[in-house]
Amino acid sequence: MLYGLLVIAPVLQAMYYSGFKWNGLGDLDDFVGLENFRRAFADDVFTGALWHNGVFVVLSLLAQLPFALSVALMLNARIRGRALLRVLYFAPFVLSEVVTGVVFTLMLQPGGLADGVSPVDREWLADPSIVLYTLFVAISWKYFGFHMILYLAGLQQIPRELEEAAIVDGASGWQVFRHVTLPLLGPTIRISAFLSIIGALQLFDLVWVMTGGGPVNASNTMAIYMVDWGFKRFQFGYASAVAVIMLVISLAFALLYQRYVLRRDIEGALTSMGR
Amino acid sequence: MIQPVRSALVLAATALLVACGGGGDDDGSGSASKSTGPVTIEWWHIQNNDPMKSVWADAVKQYEAANPNVKINVTVLENEAFKAKLTTTMQGGKVPDIFQSWGGGTLKEQVEAGLVQDVTEPTKAWIGDLNSAATGLYQIDGKQYGVPFNLGMVGVWYRKSLFEQAGIDAPPATWDEFLTTVQALKQKGVTPLAVGEKDKWPGMFWWANLSLRIAGKDALAQAGEDGSFDSPGFVKAGAELKRLIDLQPFQKGFLAAPWDGAGGEAAQIGNGKAAMSLMGQWAPSTYAANTKESEEVLADLGWFPFPTVDGGAGGPTEQFGGGDGFAIGKDAPPEAVDFIKFLVTSDVANKAGASGGILPVKKGTESSVTDPNMKSVLDARAQADFVQLYLDQAYAPAVGQAVNDAVQELFAGKASPQDVAGKIADAAKAG
C-alpha cells in the first residue's frame, strides 16, 4: 500500500503528464501524445546528455572499479597502518555529493589548489572538452572508497586456505588472483558494478553543484536536463517525458542485469568460474 | 481535475473556521469588503538579507499594531528556493496571498492559470503615485496584476582605481569608446571585464543590452509576440557582442564562474582582479560580500549606463532592468492590497530607500536614497522613459532560458551570431 502510494503513483503520474504540453499551472488540456518523446530524441542537447551518462558508465566500469579493487587488494594484505588507510579512503564517501562538489569547485577554480599542483595549466571546469573528465575524477574520488569497502568485505569471505593451496601448487601471484581470488569475488563485483552503473545513469547532485551541466551543455546529464526543463523552463510535460525515458532506461538495465548477470548470485550459487 | 476540488474543500474548511470564530491559519476570508473579523495574510518575500529583511519585519509589526484584526504570516525565502516552492505550491492549485513577482511572462502564465487577482480597481486611487515604468511591468492587457516596490537597472560597474591605473579619465559613452576602453585596460595588464557565465544570465545581459540599443524596444516586443529573434537587428547585436568577446576581455575560466560565490564575477570585482562588470543595482552589496575589503570596494566603485551604439534603433533613455513587486493570490482577502499599499506608499518606502537595500518606486521617495552607488543608478532611472524587463522574466520561461543558452554558446565560441539568433527564434516559435 505504502509502496503503491509513494512509488507507483508518482511513476504513473509522470507517465500521464508526459503525454501533455503543460507549464505546471492550470489544467492538463493540451494532449500531444508521444510528441514529447520525439522531441527529446530530436534534441542534440538531450542525446548529448544521454551520451555523457554513457561515458560515465563506461569510465566507472573501466577505471573507477578496477582502481577500487586494486586498493582493496592492497589494503587486504598485512601492511602497516592499514586500518588508518581504510578509514582515510572510505572517508570521502560519507561526504554528501554537494559538499564534494563545493570542495572540488574551490580546488579547480583558476588560482585554486589544482593550479598549484598540476603540471599543466588547464581550465578544468571552464573548458568544454575536458570538463566531463574533471567531473569523473571528482565522482571517483567520492565513490571509490565505497566500492573498496565492498571488495574488502568480499575478500574477507575468501578462505585463506584456497589461496595458500594454490601457492603450494606453484601458482604465481597473478595466477592466484586470476583463478582463485577474482572468481570468488565475482558476486561482489557484479553487485558493485550494478550500483555503479545505476549511479552513473542517475547522476545529478555533483554535476549540478560543480557545472550545472555546462559550459555549453558539455557536462549535461539526463537528470540535469530534466530539472532544467522542469524547474527553469516550466515545461513539466516535457520534463516528465524525460523522466520516463530515464526510468525506462534504468529499469530495462536493472531487469536485464538481474536476469542475465545476477541470476547465479540470486539463485544462491556460492562459486562460479569467472564468465 | 483534482485541484479545483481540493481548493474548494480548503475554502469550505476556511469558511467554517472563520464562521466558528477560530482565527487560525486561514487562506482567505472570501468576503468582498474589508472585514473586522480576524484575517490572516500569507506573505512570501525574498528579501532574505539585511537591511531589507529587518525593514519589512518592522513594517509587519507596525501594520499589525495599527490593524489588530490582521495577522501577517511571513515566509522569507532565498530567490531560487522561492521559485521552486512557489511552483510546487501552485501545482497543487494553491497560492500565497502576497508573493514576490517580477512581472512579465511568468506573471502572465500565472494570470492565465487564474492564480492571480486583478487589482486594477483596489489600487486605482494610488497606483499613479508610483513610477510608471515600474507599474507597467505588472500590467497585462491593460489590467494591473501586481504592485512594484523596487526598480533598478543594469549598467556597467567599474573600479575607479583600475581605470586610473590605465589612464582612463572618463567612462565611455558609446560602444566604440567602450571597446577602446577595454583594449586600454588590457594593454595595462588589467582584466577588463568579469562575467559569471556559469549562471548564463550575466552573459544574457550583454546580448540583451546590445539588442535594446541596436534592434530597439519595438523589435524586442515584436519578437516576444511572433518569435522574430532572427531579424537583422538581433544578428547585428550578436555580431557586436562577438566583437567584444574576440578581444578576450574576460577573466580566466569565466565559463565556469558563477555570479556570486567562490571565484565568481562578484569576487573578481570585489578583489580588484577585473575592472568592470555589467550588472544591476544589487551588485555593490554582492561585491562587498565577496571580499574582505568591503569598505574599500564600495568607495572605489563607479557606474555608467550601457553605452549607446551608433546607428542603432534604441536611444540612451531606454534602459534594461527590472525590479521587484508583489502579486496577489486568487483567494487573498482585501486586506492584502491594503497591506501592500502600506508597504510601497507609506514611510516604509523611505526607510527602505534610506537603508540602501532597494530603489523605491513611489514618487518623492527617491531623495531617501543616499548611498552614492545607488544614487547613480537612480539618477539614470530618473532620465529613463522606458525599461526593458530582464529577458528571462519578460518572455515565457522557456524562451528566456533559450536566450541564456544561445548566448552562452556565443561566449564559448561555439556559435555564430546567426546561429544564436536562429536558436532563440526557433525556441520562441515552438512556444
Side-chain angles (χ1 to χ4, degrees):
Chain A
M1 172 61 196
L2 210 58
Y3 183 81
L5 199 68
L6 298 177
V7 179
I8 309 286
V11 167
L12 292 178
Q13 200 176 25
M15 285 181 174
Y16 178 64
Y17 288 162
S18 70
F20 293 87
K21 187 173 173 182
W22 184 47
N23 66 4
L25 307 170
D27 292 337
L28 290 161
D29 49 12
D30 192 358
F31 184 74
V32 293
L34 294 175
E35 165 61 21
N36 282 332
F37 292 92
R38 191 203 60 76
R39 187 174 149 201
F41 285 105
D43 183 1
D44 291 345
V45 179
F46 176 74
T47 50
L50 189 60
W51 169 252
H52 297 150
N53 280 110
V55 170
F56 280 122
V57 168
V58 171
L59 285 177
S60 297
L61 292 180
L62 294 185
Q64 185 184 345
L65 298 188
F67 178 70
L69 179 58
S70 54
V71 175
L73 286 169
M74 192 181 84
L75 292 183
N76 199 41
R78 295 205 169 81
I79 57 166
R80 277 166 65 95
R82 121 183 134 161
L84 179 68
L85 284 174
R86 281 181 188 176
V87 171
L88 277 181
Y89 290 152
F90 185 68
F93 181 68
V94 303
L95 296 178
S96 76
E97 280 196 23
V98 175
V99 174
T100 311
V102 171
V103 168
F104 269 85
T105 308
L106 287 175
M107 277 194 335
L108 294 168
Q109 72 187 26
L113 189 64
D115 269 359
V117 298
S118 155
V120 282
D121 184 26
R122 275 289 173 79
E123 296 182 356
W124 300 106
L125 292 172
D127 184 342
S129 61
I130 58 172
V131 63
L132 203 59
Y133 306 102
T134 310
L135 287 174
F136 176 70
V137 170
I139 290 159
S140 299
W141 180 81
K142 174 167 161 52
Y143 283 105
F144 90 91
F146 170 70
H147 295 286
M148 177 198 78
I149 288 286
L150 285 183
Y151 294 145
L152 271 173
L155 289 169
Q156 311 268 316
Q157 304 278 326
I158 300 174
R160 284 292 301 162
E161 296 79 11
L162 288 177
E163 288 170 359
E164 280 163 7
I167 293 167
V168 170
D169 287 348
S172 68
W174 168 250
Q175 282 172 323
V176 173
F177 172 73
R178 174 65 189 85
H179 296 289
V180 179
T181 315
L182 203 56
L184 287 172
L185 208 52
T188 313
I189 292 175
R190 288 189 284 274
I191 282 291
S192 138
F194 179 74
L195 294 175
S196 180
I197 292 170
I198 290 289
L201 287 176
Q202 312 265 1
L203 191 60
F204 175 76
D205 309 30
L206 191 117
V207 180
W208 187 254
V209 172
M210 289 184 69
T211 67
V216 211
N217 298 313
S219 61
N220 221 336
T221 68
M222 286 189 287
I224 298 263
Y225 184 84
M226 176 184 78
V227 170
D228 190 55
W229 278 89
F231 287 91
K232 284 202 166 160
R233 292 160 212 249
F234 301 103
Q235 298 205 354
F236 287 94
Y238 182 55
S240 297
V242 174
V244 170
I245 295 172
M246 266 177 80
L247 173 81
V248 168
I249 292 175
S250 300
L251 196 67
F253 162 75
L255 291 176
L256 289 174
Y257 198 85
Q258 291 211 348
R259 174 75 182 80
Y260 291 105
V261 182
L262 289 179
R263 189 176 46 169
R264 283 175 302 217
D265 303 332
I266 291 166
E267 284 171 357
L270 254 180
T271 58
S272 57
M273 285 301 295
R275 324 277 94 195
Chain B
M1 288 315 301
I2 201 161
Q3 286 98 329
V5 179
R6 201 191 298 159
S7 50
L9 273 174
V10 169
L11 266 182
T14 312
L16 206 66
L17 268 177
V18 172
C20 295
D25 182 38
D26 51 337
D27 289 31
S29 68
S31 62
S33 65
K34 243 175 105 174
S35 60
T36 47
V39 177
T40 305
I41 297 172
E42 289 292 331
W43 179 27
W44 291 11
H45 72 71
I46 60 166
Q47 310 299 318
N48 59 331
N49 287 317
D50 274 334
M52 281 309 292
K53 193 179 170 187
S54 334
V55 170
W56 272 347
D58 292 345
V60 168
K61 276 184 210 145
Q62 211 182 327
Y63 188 83
E64 284 181 343
N67 302 272
N69 64 320
V70 180
K71 165 100 183 70
I72 295 163
N73 277 344
V74 186
T75 307
V76 187
L77 293 156
E78 187 274 330
N79 185 24
E80 295 299 320
F82 162 78
K83 288 182 189 168
K85 189 173 159 96
L86 186 70
T87 307
T88 41
T89 306
M90 283 184 166
Q91 280 176 0
K94 286 200 223 166
V95 56
D97 297 327
I98 304 176
F99 60 96
Q100 164 76 27
S101 170
W102 294 269
T106 310
L107 180 64
K108 191 163 179 240
E109 287 192 346
Q110 291 162 354
V111 168
E112 281 164 1
L115 294 163
V116 178
Q117 259 183 45
D118 173 3
V119 291
T120 316
E121 279 304 312
T123 60
K124 204 158 73 182
W126 48 271
I127 198 95
D129 298 342
L130 308 180
N131 179 305
S132 60
T135 52
L137 300 176
Y138 297 85
Q139 282 160 5
I140 296 162
D141 300 332
K143 289 180 188 152
Q144 195 75 33
Y145 284 100
V147 178
F149 64 88
N150 180 23
L151 177 69
M153 45 195 248
V154 168
V156 183
W157 295 97
Y158 66 99
R159 296 287 303 245
K160 289 177 187 160
S161 55
L162 291 176
F163 266 40
E164 268 168 39
Q165 203 180 312
I168 302 159
D169 32 351
T174 68
W175 182 244
D176 287 333
E177 283 172 28
F178 179 77
L179 294 178
T180 315
T181 306
V182 165
Q183 280 161 318
L185 285 162
K186 218 174 143 72
Q187 270 161 18
K188 291 283 173 185
V190 177
T191 304
L193 288 163
V195 68
E197 198 45 22
K198 178 192 176 193
D199 290 346
K200 298 178 189 172
W201 54 265
M204 176 272 285
F205 281 3
W206 287 98
W207 188 86
N209 269 297
L210 282 166
S211 293
L212 182 62
R213 289 280 180 265
I214 296 169
K217 61 177 180 178
D218 295 335
L220 280 161
Q222 180 70 25
E225 296 293 322
D226 63 8
S228 57
F229 285 99
D230 44 4
S231 66
F234 294 107
V235 177
K236 176 92 194 314
E240 289 299 325
L241 178 53
K242 191 167 185 314
R243 259 178 87 196
L244 173 67
I245 294 167
D246 287 346
L247 297 176
Q248 301 186 330
F250 302 107
Q251 83 275 21
K252 191 184 162 206
F254 63 89
L255 283 174
W259 149 242
D260 188 2
E265 178 177 343
Q268 291 283 324
I269 302 296
N271 294 313
K273 290 184 176 164
M276 300 184 277
S277 104
L278 180 64
M279 200 42 69
Q281 75 284 1
W282 59 87
S285 58
T286 318
Y287 298 144
N290 275 275
T291 177
K292 290 189 182 106
E293 297 143 3
S294 309
E295 302 285 317
E296 209 172 290
V297 184
L298 292 176
D300 191 40
L301 278 179
W303 187 89
F304 58 90
F306 196 84
T308 55
V309 180
D310 289 341
T317 59
E318 287 153 18
Q319 299 294 349
F320 177 73
D324 302 278
F326 294 117
I328 293 91
K330 62 180 163 81
D331 302 322
E335 283 83 355
V337 177
D338 190 56
F339 176 62
I340 293 183
K341 180 187 170 205
F342 170 73
L343 281 184
V344 300
T345 64
S346 75
D347 199 42
V348 175
N350 279 316
K351 279 184 204 157
S355 76
I358 62 161
L359 298 173
V361 295
K362 168 140 191 270
K363 290 170 191 162
T365 58
E366 289 91 347
S367 56
S368 67
V369 176
T370 53
D371 178 79
N373 289 320
M374 294 296 251
K375 237 181 143 41
S376 42
V377 179
L378 199 56
D379 290 345
R381 190 183 89 182
Q383 288 161 25
D385 51 20
F386 173 81
V387 171
Q388 169 63 45
L389 182 63
Y390 307 121
L391 300 189
D392 48 356
Q393 299 291 345
Y395 302 133
V399 179
Q401 292 297 327
V403 175
N404 288 355
D405 283 354
V407 173
Q408 195 195 34
E409 292 189 24
L410 191 66
F411 272 84
K414 300 266 178 195
S416 70
Q418 286 84 357
D419 296 341
V420 171
K423 281 181 185 195
I424 300 168
D426 287 348
K429 283 168 187 164

